[in-house]
Each structure stands twice: as structure tokens, then as C-alpha cells.
Amino acid sequence: MTAFGIDLGSTNSCIAYVDDTGHPVVARNAIGRETTPSVVYFEKPGSVVVGGAARNSALLAPHLVAERIKREMGREDVAFTYHGEARTPETISAFILRELAQSAGRQTGEPVRDVVITVPAYFGVREREATRKAGRIAGLNVLDVLDEPIAAALSYQSRRPSGGVRHVLVYDLGGGTFDTTVIRLEGDDIRAVCTGGDLRLGGADWDERVVRYMLEAFTRQCPGLDPTADEQFMHDLAIGAEVVKMELSSALAWTRHLRFGGATAEVEMTRATLEELTADLLERTLDITEKTVGEARRRKVETIDEVILVGGMTKMPVVRERLRERLGLEARRHEPELAVAKGAALFALVRQASREPGGGPEEIADRLGISASEAAVMTRRSVTTVVPRGFGVRVADQNDPLFATDPGRARTYVIHLLPANTPLPADSGAVSFATSIDNQPMAEVEVWEQKEGTSSDEVSDNACVARGRLRLPPRLPALSRLDVSFAVDETGRLTVHAEEPMSGNELDLELQIGGMDEAAVSAARTAVARHDVSS
Ligand code: ADP
Ligand code: MG
């Protein structure tokens, strides 16, 4: 049974598999495209449309169209209602996954079951869990979720196997997000060293600048006309702006006609103008890249051997130019829109082989017609990722004067037992804390996850993701020792262990993340399966 790799993007998605010759191939969708817009149109009860056609419906029926749902993954407080039915981000994503699976199934002639789905490196445990759920709701068997930059590096490395230690920087600028990751490659061992990014910086910001420019040009040519209240005009303008931006990656100038109220304006934009109008956006990606490279340097990475450009936006020539000019980084573009899905397909093959009884190097060698030793290299390949965000516990500040008199009201802050970028599997080992008052009956153990961005011990910069109570023995004096340890396995599952050493009382927490329990997942799966999904 073929295993598939899926790049579930916020703008575009892509599915790939490894063919009989051992090469990753992208499965085209129903209209022959390699990528499918991640847009879902709830056309009528019981039938949804996914992809380009769904995106075109956004104007006619915006209230029935879900776009950029990836940004909401892992949020439990949102649901979207279409035809009177509430849909979670997981369920909406499941429709996209089903459409991709259908296309791939048509192309390979066998149903899609085993998949690896990629996620951004900065996704927290909750978002990863939501992604797995989306896969299960779509009726798929999710072998694993894999970091997008690792997938890109895998697909890149599969074409250039080489010895020694090498460091690769993945620069991924997509439709709505930017992230950059330094990856260490050594033979079969692939691990992320550090990662950084901005969740609110991507192609859409460039499009917005182009829209503004074109509107200004229109008003200059047709003074007295204000088309901004016209939905149809603004919709066409938005679509047109993205086209102009994309065309300017190959052309030096592009012209569009804008028609409104009987008037027509001819707007020309040059590549130089586009670059000038968006320079600050690009520089922001370079600031983050510079910081990430600096962080890698602190982790003893002396040279970046290779820079891989991923994401549709890296087709803009200026990205490479500025990486070279400002950071001295020589980048190569490696199938910016397909690399992630292809890498995931390679990883899926390896994962599948390692899980199936009797599956192993020989079976892979047979299937791919490669030598047993080549296959052994593939199945041995291990991928190490990092803790995407810091995890810790909330404690009372013993330096706060209130701590002595009224510890319940003292300032609290978060201590990260596992800082962001700790390689997986990660284990903090036992860290000692103290009780606050005499005869404390129990200790409240709260698990806090750092919010996106930089690490901070302020409670407001972290989110409580789980809590439990550790029973304490009678007559325990204040400031008695309590031990807490945090561990995250390769799949991102967090286990927390707390212990009172005198009594041996223990508390174990397995992070239960995401709002849907198993029953809800299976109900959603049934509901999704009943829908007619088309593109
Ligand atoms: P995501 O990973 O967010 O799903 P993609 O990697 O598919 O997104 O990138 C989508 C973005 O890339 C969009 O903003 C799109 O306009 C932009 N894009 C696609 N092709 C080009 C191009 N030739 N030149 C510039 N931008 C492009
Ligand atoms: Mg992407």
C-alpha cells in the first residue's frame, strides 16, 4: 500500500507519493494542477467544493467559503457555521485532505490510507494534535506529522546524498506566514537546530500593497470616482493584484485595466516598483533569518552550507538577491511549492516500513528496485525535531513581599522546564520546586505553553494547557521540596511527572490537547464521509 505525503498549506496544499523507481512524484488534482488552493466552499448541505472553484465562489457566497483555516488550527474557541451546521477547523481541513486523497487515489489507482501530514515548525502541540485529528476525520491513517522545513530538507537531500555534517537553512515564505529553520544533516540523521518566523507575514501582505498602489493609480486617472465600496470591483482588484505580483516574478512590468463606473484606468506596475513598495516586508523576513542564523551560531553552527527557498513567494527574484546582498547567503530554489509534499512522501515511506510487520529495508528495496543497502539507509534515516515552544509550570515569586504574608496573592510567573528549540526527544529531568505554606494539602501543577514569539516568563505570554493536583502528606512545612519533570517524545506528546519525595505521592499528566475527544472525531469522520467532495 502506497504511503502519501501531504503539505496541508494555509494557501495551497499538495499531495505526493514515492513511485516504483524510488522518486517522489506529485499527484495532480482533478484539473491537472500540482497544488490545490486550501479553500472549502460549502455549496449546499451534503456537498462541498475544494480548491480553485471554491476560491472563485468567495465573492458570490463569502459566508459559505472557508479560507486560511490553518491559522485557526488548534483553537478550541472557534467554529464556523455553514447551512446551520457548526464546523471546527479540523473538520474544514478534513475536507481539503479528502479532496487531495481522492485526486491521489484516482492517479495511483488505489485508495489513499497511510499519510504523513506536514506542519510548520512553530506549531505547538495543540496545533499538531488538531492536524492529526483532521487526518483521522478525513478517514486517513496519519502515520506522523512532520515539520515542513524538515520535509523540504529531506526532499532536497534525497537528490544529493553526501557524507559529513552539513547545515541547511530553509527559508519558507508562503501566502500568509513566514518561517525559517536551520537543519543539521549528517548521513541518515536530520535534525532541526533552531527555528523562527512570523505567523502574520506572507504573500497576502504583498498583495495588499499592490491593491493600494492600483487603487491610487485608478483614482489619479479617474478623479471623482470611488470604487472602494463596490464589492465586485474590490474582489477583482484583489485577484488582479496577486496576478500582477506573480507575473512580476518573471516579467519586468505588467499592465492591468481597471473598469469602474464607465471609466477605465490602465495601470502599469514594474518589478522595481513592487520591490520598493514591499521592501520593508522582505526586510522583516531577513531580520528573522538573521536572528535565526545567530541563534544557530550560538548552538555551534559555524557555516550554513546551503539555503533552500520554499513557498510560492520565493519565486520573486528579489528574495534571492537580498539574501545574498544583506546576509551573504547563496540560496537555491528547490521546487518551492512541491518540496514539502515530496519530502513528506519520502518520510511516509520510511515510517510505513518501520511500522508494518515484516516491513523493512528488504521490502522497500523490493518495491523500489533499489539495493538493500540503499534501502537500509532510507529506513535508518531518523528525523529529530525540536520542542516548538517553551513548556513549563507556573510558580509563585518568592521575591514578592506578598509571598511571606499572603502567598496566594503573590506574583506568579512561568518557568520553562523545556525551552523552545530543545531537540526531541526531550527530557528536563527532575526540577525542584517548593511548597508555599505550612500544611499545604495539595500542589496545583499547571502546564504552561509559551505563546508564539519570544520566550518570556510573564503569565500573559504563556497559555495554560493542562493542570492537575498533587496530594501532599499532612504537616508538610512551607518550602518543602517538590520535583517536576517534563518530557516530550518524537511525536510531540508531552508527559509531566510531579512527585513529593517524602511521601512518594505522584501526579502524572499526559497532555490531553485539542477540544475533540475520540467520539467527536468519529462523529465528524462519519459526517465528512457523507459529503460529496469535488473540485
Ligand atoms: P502556503 O504554504 O502558505 O500554502 P504557498 O507556498 O503555496 O503558500 O505560497 C502561496 C503564495 O505564493 C501566494 O501569496 C502566492 O501569491 C505566491 N506566489 C505563487 N507563485 C508566485 C510567483 N510566481 N511569484 C510571486 N509569488 C507567488
Ligand atoms: Mg507552505
Side-chain angles (χ1 to χ4, degrees):
M1 161 110 34
T2 312
F4 292 80
I6 298 180
D7 171 4
L8 182 60
S10 58
T11 320
N12 296 302
S13 295
C14 183
I15 183 167
Y17 59 97
V18 179
D19 72 6
D20 294 339
T21 65
H23 290 100
V25 231
V26 165
R28 290 176 183 273
N29 65 17
I31 53 165
R33 296 264 158 77
E34 290 178 309
T35 63
T36 301
S38 307
V39 184
V40 181
Y41 169 36
F42 291 86
E43 188 182 23
K44 47 182 190 263
S47 110
V48 304
V49 177
V50 173
R55 191 167 62 177
N56 295 337
S57 308
L59 174 71
L60 294 171
H63 58 291
L64 296 177
V65 175
E67 284 184 89
R68 298 193 192 287
I69 196 64
K70 190 173 177 177
R71 288 189 164 178
E72 316 299 334
M73 283 302 257
R75 282 185 61 185
E76 285 154 32
D77 54 343
V78 294
F80 303 86
T81 305
Y82 306 101
H83 302 296
E85 244 185 290
R87 308 287 190 177
T88 60
E90 289 95 325
T91 303
I92 295 169
S93 303
F95 283 114
I96 302 170
L97 291 171
R98 254 197 77 194
E99 169 61 23
L100 295 169
Q102 275 179 12
S103 298
R106 263 195 307 272
Q107 183 160 329
T108 58
E110 57 174 317
V112 173
R113 192 197 60 177
D114 292 345
V115 300
V116 164
I117 306 174
T118 59
V119 293
Y122 57 78
F123 257 24
V125 182
R126 207 184 274 149
E127 293 85 346
R128 285 166 199 258
E129 199 61 24
T131 305
R132 279 178 198 275
K133 273 179 191 153
R136 293 213 303 278
I137 293 170
L140 301 169
N141 175 37
V142 183
L143 299 170
D144 222 329
V145 292
L146 175 68
D147 285 0
E148 287 160 12
I150 298 256
L154 264 175
S155 112
Y156 167 79
Q157 196 209 22
S158 73
R159 309 183 330 160
R160 292 178 194 72
S162 86
V165 177
R166 294 195 358 257
H167 289 100
V168 170
L169 177 102
V170 177
Y171 173 107
D172 183 350
L173 186 55
T177 57
F178 168 69
D179 56 271
T180 179
T181 306
V182 174
I183 291 166
R184 181 180 184 277
L185 304 169
E186 182 181 14
D188 314 328
D189 187 48
I190 301 181
R191 57 183 70 209
V193 177
C194 56
T195 177
D198 187 336
L199 277 80
R200 309 274 160 196
L201 181 57
D205 299 298
W206 270 256
D207 299 350
E208 224 173 77
R209 300 279 170 90
V210 180
V211 163
R212 226 188 291 158
Y213 174 83
M214 289 172 46
L215 262 183
E216 279 165 21
F218 180 87
T219 330
R220 226 178 300 115
Q221 291 179 38
C222 315
L225 284 177
D226 179 11
T228 51
D230 187 313
E231 256 180 60
Q232 175 79 51
F233 178 89
M234 293 306 286
H235 176 80
D236 292 348
L237 182 61
I239 302 238
E242 188 183 3
V243 170
V244 169
K245 175 193 74 177
M246 295 198 287
E247 292 295 344
L248 288 178
S249 290
S250 39
L252 289 172
W254 200 256
T255 304
R256 253 192 116 75
H257 293 93
L258 305 180
R259 291 184 186 84
F260 178 74
T264 301
E266 190 183 281
V267 182
E268 192 201 54
M269 190 168 204
T270 64
R271 188 189 289 174
T273 308
L274 172 66
E275 291 175 359
E276 202 178 297
L277 286 177
T278 56
D280 60 311
L281 300 173
L282 184 61
E283 294 309 308
R284 269 165 66 194
T285 71
L286 295 172
D287 293 343
I288 295 167
T289 307
E290 193 172 25
K291 250 177 71 185
T292 306
V293 171
E295 173 76 26
R297 208 151 275 147
R298 272 190 292 286
R299 286 160 197 264
K300 306 277 172 289
V301 174
E302 263 129 45
T303 47
I304 301 288
D305 302 290
E306 213 82 61
V307 181
I308 307 177
L309 300 182
V310 181
M313 287 292 292
T314 61
K315 291 185 178 171
M316 296 187 309
V318 69
V319 172
R320 278 181 70 180
E321 287 162 23
R322 287 298 295 152
L323 276 165
R324 184 190 309 118
E325 283 167 11
R326 188 176 145 186
L327 303 178
L329 294 169
E330 206 58 58
R332 56 176 92 219
R333 215 175 296 125
H334 168 60
E335 299 188 299
E337 290 165 299
L338 314 178
V340 171
K342 285 186 172 184
L346 286 164
F347 188 68
L349 177 73
V350 171
R351 265 288 183 274
Q352 189 187 45
S354 67
R355 286 194 188 185
E356 268 173 15
E362 296 81 19
E363 199 198 38
I364 292 195
D366 250 19
R367 275 226 3 243
L368 304 180
I370 55 179
S371 77
S373 64
E374 281 172 307
V377 167
M378 282 191 86
T379 49
R380 269 204 320 267
R381 184 172 284 160
S382 71
V383 170
T384 308
T385 48
V386 294
V387 180
R389 304 177 183 188
F391 279 97
V393 291
R394 183 158 72 128
V395 296
D397 185 353
Q398 297 186 14
N399 296 324
D400 184 337
L402 270 177
F403 187 81
T405 53
D406 188 1
R409 287 181 46 225
R411 169 187 181 254
T412 60
Y413 64 104
V414 175
I415 294 185
H416 289 134
L417 276 74
L418 291 176
N421 292 322
T422 311
L424 298 183
D427 194 336
S428 70
V431 178
S432 298
F433 295 93
T435 58
S436 301
I437 51 169
D438 290 334
N439 305 317
Q440 193 174 319
M442 64 179 88
E444 193 90 39
V445 178
E446 292 181 351
V447 181
W448 287 70
E449 182 182 29
Q450 168 195 336
K451 289 183 186 163
E452 62 192 66
T454 46
S455 162
S456 144
D457 66 3
E458 288 298 328
V459 169
S460 59
D461 291 330
N462 293 271
C464 181
V465 290
R467 54 162 61 92
R469 286 179 167 175
L470 175 63
R471 229 165 23 83
L472 300 178
R475 289 179 297 283
L476 202 63
L479 301 180
S480 291
R481 196 180 108 203
L482 302 175
D483 291 336
V484 180
S485 63
F486 275 44
V488 182
D489 70 8
E490 284 97 336
T491 65
R493 199 163 293 277
L494 171 68
T495 45
V496 174
H497 178 80
E499 194 173 331
E500 194 287 305
M502 304 275 284
S503 61
N505 286 356
E506 295 175 312
L507 166 73
D508 284 295
L509 295 172
E510 256 241 355
L511 207 47
Q512 196 47 58
I513 335 107
M516 277 197 223
D517 57 17
E518 281 312 308
V521 167
S522 80
R525 183 190 303 137
T526 313
V528 167
R530 270 205 313 268
H531 281 73
D532 192 21
V533 178
S534 63
S535 55

